[in-house]
Amino acid sequence: MGFNSVIEAQLDGQPVQLTISGGSGNRVSISITAEEGRVVAQSDSGWSFSTLSDNQLQITMGERCLGLSFVQHQDALFAEQQLRLAASSVFDRTREQASVAEYFKFYAILSQQQNMLTDFVRTGTYQRAMMMNSVDFRGKVVCDVGCGTGILSFFAAQAGARKVYGIEASNMADYAKKLVAHNGMSHLIQIINGKVEEVELPEKVDIIISEPMGIMLVNERMLESYVHARKWLKPGGNMFPTTSTFFVCPFNDEHLYYETASKAGFWTTPSFFGVDVGCLWQSSNEENFRQPVVEYIEPHHLLGEPVCTEFDFLSLTEDDLQEIRIPFEYTFTNPTLVHGIATWFDVVFRGSQHSVTLSTSPRAPLTHWYQVRCLLKKPVLLPPNETMCGELHMKANRKQSYDIVLRISIKGSSVMFQNEINLKEPNFRLSSFPGPSPAMMASVEHDTARPPVPPPQSTA
């Protein structure tokens, strides 16, 4: 999601072009070029600007101050807006502020944190991954991205870290500081309230830890902040989790399909208190099918083996996450009715001593991520031995989520089955994540010296 603006202006009475450009990183460059293409001034960093009058701006690059004039006031306003946007962090440039405010408000609520903490598969696997690879933490400096209550920071300390910097942008940082102080860890764990894209650390780190996965892996766009934090990672450093595998698989589920199709039934009413609401049926039906369905998937609904896409967080860039295309192809020997595509993911903690997997597969223990299904508005009936080709196309949006297009066709046919999915507005078919039972609570480790047990591995 690049940043690029070209604005006509004047410098000392001569026409010039002001160019503002950059990628997904924090650095945005500006340049001023004359008509013949000669670069008058250019800076990749360390520039600033100020408003001189309605039609004039001053740009400072190091010791140079350049006064730009604009013929139209609206051009000056646009230039000021673009420069102000360029001077902000990549986080603010690429997200709607209303969405950001809602997001951080949500994660500042203790009950929401409790929902994640009491996902014992999630929390227990993180602790086991660190304790089983204590050599990677002992005496090391750790950065915890989006630390929430600071639970992962505590795990890093338990594994022997020398210093842990927990970064949290929401007001949950206040609770994290309270927990750190209450547990006598203020000398070891430092909570920093701010965005990864905007704060600074006093030193480089040996390992970055985080729980940046949203539903369907990418929702909430926290993966970008996670890989952005590599700016602090020492050469040869590690990230926990280290890699992720995203799985897609066609599914058949007539009950889910007809349940979704029937939701718009109300909008066929010819006389609702004397009003015919039938003209809204199509809009309601499309709205319902745009919702990804979040729930546990019975494995028997899956059709074949999943297609895998790998992400390596040690090399993945923020630009890589702006647009993701996942092609797939399936051939079935029997007539097959496909209602859509099911998705889930694994993450792997690749340490010096052990590799530990956290799986959200339908065949693994249930997590609060469940699995996610994207429905087609019309199912695909695949004849025997015919090949189904398709693509899941995901594009990041400013609402901290992704716009998804699911396309499926039968090889050799011009007919295309397509549906647009709004990942920001999922349909949670299960009302809430089941809370811990007394037995689960009793199993929580209080003695961290006890040897951890590896989590079950995915069979997907």
Side-chain angles (χ1 to χ4, degrees):
M1 190 173 291
F3 188 93
N4 190 46
S5 297
V6 179
I7 308 163
E8 302 293 333
Q10 289 189 340
L11 176 65
D12 299 329
Q14 299 299 313
V16 294
Q17 285 188 332
L18 170 64
T19 302
I20 310 168
S21 60
S24 296
N26 266 351
R27 179 172 293 182
V28 174
S29 65
I30 62 172
S31 62
I32 299 171
T33 54
E35 273 192 323
E36 68 275 14
R38 177 175 56 87
V39 177
V40 177
Q42 184 174 7
S43 178
D44 290 331
S45 62
W47 57 267
S48 61
F49 80 98
S50 59
T51 302
L52 300 178
S53 66
D54 285 350
N55 285 14
Q56 288 186 309
L57 297 175
Q58 179 174 282
I59 296 178
T60 302
M61 302 182 187
E63 297 181 356
R64 297 187 66 183
C65 295
L66 301 103
L68 296 182
S69 301
F70 301 86
V71 176
Q72 301 292 331
H73 179 53
Q74 62 186 23
D75 291 338
L77 286 177
F78 179 68
E80 181 179 3
Q81 177 195 53
Q82 294 299 295
L83 286 167
R84 197 175 304 281
L85 188 62
S88 64
S89 72
V90 63
F91 188 97
D92 288 340
R93 289 200 305 271
T94 57
R95 277 89 164 167
E96 288 181 0
Q97 291 310 301
S99 175
V100 170
E102 178 186 354
Y103 173 72
F104 288 135
K105 181 180 178 181
F106 178 86
Y107 282 108
I109 299 171
L110 283 170
S111 61
Q112 302 301 340
Q113 295 289 329
Q114 179 181 336
N115 181 55
M116 295 183 291
L117 290 171
T118 55
D119 177 348
F120 281 77
V121 175
R122 164 201 181 266
T123 306
T125 303
Y126 266 87
Q127 187 187 45
R128 286 193 294 271
M130 294 189 214
M131 298 301 291
M132 292 175 69
N133 291 285
S134 58
V135 68
D136 296 324
F137 290 86
R138 194 175 302 120
K140 300 298 178 62
V141 180
V142 181
C143 174
D144 180 0
V145 176
C147 68
T149 59
I151 189 67
L152 303 188
S153 296
F154 283 106
F155 294 164
Q158 291 169 5
R162 172 174 63 83
K163 185 70 178 181
V164 184
Y165 297 101
I167 304 173
E168 174 56 42
S170 81
N171 289 337
M172 185 54 59
D174 295 332
Y175 290 117
K177 291 176 183 177
K178 190 173 183 178
L179 281 173
V180 169
H182 181 69
N183 284 272
M185 302 292 284
S186 298
H187 65 289
L188 200 154
I189 300 173
Q190 179 180 341
I191 303 299
I192 301 171
N193 190 192
K195 303 184 185 82
V196 169
E197 294 81 0
E198 298 173 7
V199 303
E200 293 296 334
L201 293 185
E203 59 184 319
K204 295 287 187 179
V205 303
D206 299 287
I207 187 165
I208 300 170
I209 60 176
S210 183
E211 193 268 78
M213 302 86 72
I215 60 168
M216 215 166 165
L217 181 61
V218 297
N219 190 43
E220 297 178 342
R221 293 183 59 185
M222 192 180 164
L223 286 176
E224 292 165 59
S225 296
Y226 182 43
V227 300
H228 183 93
R230 287 208 311 267
K231 64 185 178 182
W232 296 312
L233 190 63
K234 294 177 183 178
N238 201 1
M239 300 179 76
F240 262 35
T242 320
T243 61
S244 178
T245 305
F246 185 73
F247 300 89
V248 301
C249 186
F251 73 90
N252 170 281
D253 191 338
E254 292 192 9
H255 179 74
L256 172 63
Y257 177 81
Y258 286 111
E259 175 190 293
T260 305
S262 67
K263 286 183 178 180
F266 166 79
W267 298 102
T268 62
T269 307
S271 181
F272 182 72
F273 289 88
V275 178
D276 184 351
V277 298
C279 64
L280 299 182
W281 174 86
Q282 183 173 348
S283 297
S284 174
N285 190 58
E286 290 178 354
E287 186 178 277
N288 294 330
F289 275 94
R290 275 199 300 268
Q291 289 188 285
V293 181
V294 182
E295 65 171 340
Y296 169 67
I297 303 173
E298 293 284 353
H300 70 265
H301 288 300
L302 301 176
L303 303 170
E305 292 299 314
V307 169
C308 307
T309 300
E310 303 289 337
F311 298 96
D312 184 344
F313 298 130
L314 284 167
S315 59
L316 189 71
T317 68
E318 292 166 82
D319 282 337
D320 292 335
L321 290 163
Q322 303 312 306
E323 192 167 5
I324 302 168
R325 293 178 179 270
I326 301 175
F328 52 86
E329 187 172 297
Y330 285 87
T331 304
F332 302 104
T333 55
N334 298 315
T336 304
L337 189 65
V338 178
H339 289 109
I341 292 295
T343 72
W344 62 91
F345 63 89
D346 292 351
V347 294
V348 181
F349 305 84
R350 300 191 188 281
S352 300
Q353 296 167 288
H354 299 277
S355 285
V356 178
T357 298
L358 169 58
S359 177
T360 68
S361 165
R363 297 181 176 90
L366 185 64
T367 71
H368 78 285
W369 289 284
Y370 298 98
Q371 294 88 42
V372 182
R373 287 189 280 185
C374 299
L375 282 160
L376 292 164
K377 286 181 282 188
K378 292 183 178 179
V380 179
L381 180 58
L382 196 66
N385 300 312
E386 293 288 339
T387 299
M388 178 187 82
C389 303
E391 179 187 62
L392 199 65
H393 181 196
M394 304 188 288
K395 193 169 184 178
N397 60 39
R398 292 181 57 82
K399 295 181 179 180
Q400 291 182 277
S401 190
Y402 281 73
D403 298 317
I404 300 173
V405 179
L406 170 61
R407 300 183 181 93
I408 293 179
S409 63
I410 300 175
K411 207 167 194 177
S413 169
S414 60
V415 179
M416 174 70 71
F417 298 81
Q418 178 173 309
N419 193 24
E420 297 179 0
I421 307 294
N422 179 9
L423 187 55
K424 179 73 174 180
E425 301 293 339
N427 169 21
F428 289 94
R429 275 185 102 199
L430 297 180
S431 58
S432 64
F433 184 72
S437 66
M440 290 175 69
M441 289 299 294
S443 71
V444 177
E445 293 289 353
H446 296 287
D447 178 9
T448 56
R450 182 178 176 181
V453 179
Q457 303 294 305
S458 168
T459 58

